Amino acid sequence: MTNTDRKILNMIDAALKRIQVEEYGVCANCQEEMQQKRLEAVPWAKHCISCQEKMEQDCCSNRKIPHPYKPRWGTHYETR
Ligand SMILES: [Zn+2]
């Protein structure tokens, strides 16, 4: 199983829990009811489309900040 699979499973799990507490289909951020289309496309969605888009933009802008002291790729950085 890949990390993405696990992530999706976690989200499905969280969605199932929200169904139990009758919060399914409500955006976790703005508390607005989610569009039916959104739920059909992504049944485990936590956020409405506008919040999701906002978060993805934040996420992408964060990624542009370089982390020079934390090389994640290339094991040649490790001398031990
Ligand atoms: Zn929202």
Side-chain angles (χ1 to χ4, degrees):
M1 228 170 33
T2 65
N3 281 339
T4 312
D5 288 340
R6 212 161 287 155
K7 215 174 172 183
I8 289 170
L9 278 177
N10 283 339
M11 287 170 93
I12 292 170
D13 198 50
L16 289 174
K17 278 176 191 152
R18 285 203 306 282
I19 292 170
Q20 286 167 2
V21 295
E22 292 179 10
E23 280 178 15
Y24 179 70
V26 176
C27 174
N29 187 48
C30 65
Q31 313 294 312
E32 291 285 326
E33 261 185 60
M34 274 192 257
Q35 298 87 338
Q36 191 64 38
K37 265 188 197 171
R38 168 103 175 116
L39 290 173
E40 278 167 15
V42 191
W44 55 84
K46 261 187 197 174
H47 302 99
C48 67
I49 292 170
S50 52
C51 289
Q52 184 72 47
E53 278 174 356
K54 242 180 255 171
M55 271 181 286
E56 276 168 11
Q57 278 168 12
D58 289 349
C59 183
C60 290
S61 57
N62 284 344
R63 257 185 236 149
K64 278 173 196 161
I65 301 167
H67 296 284
Y69 304 114
K70 285 183 186 174
R72 297 182 79 184
W73 296 281
T75 48
H76 58 276
Y77 282 107
E78 289 171 12
T79 49
R80 266 171 283 172

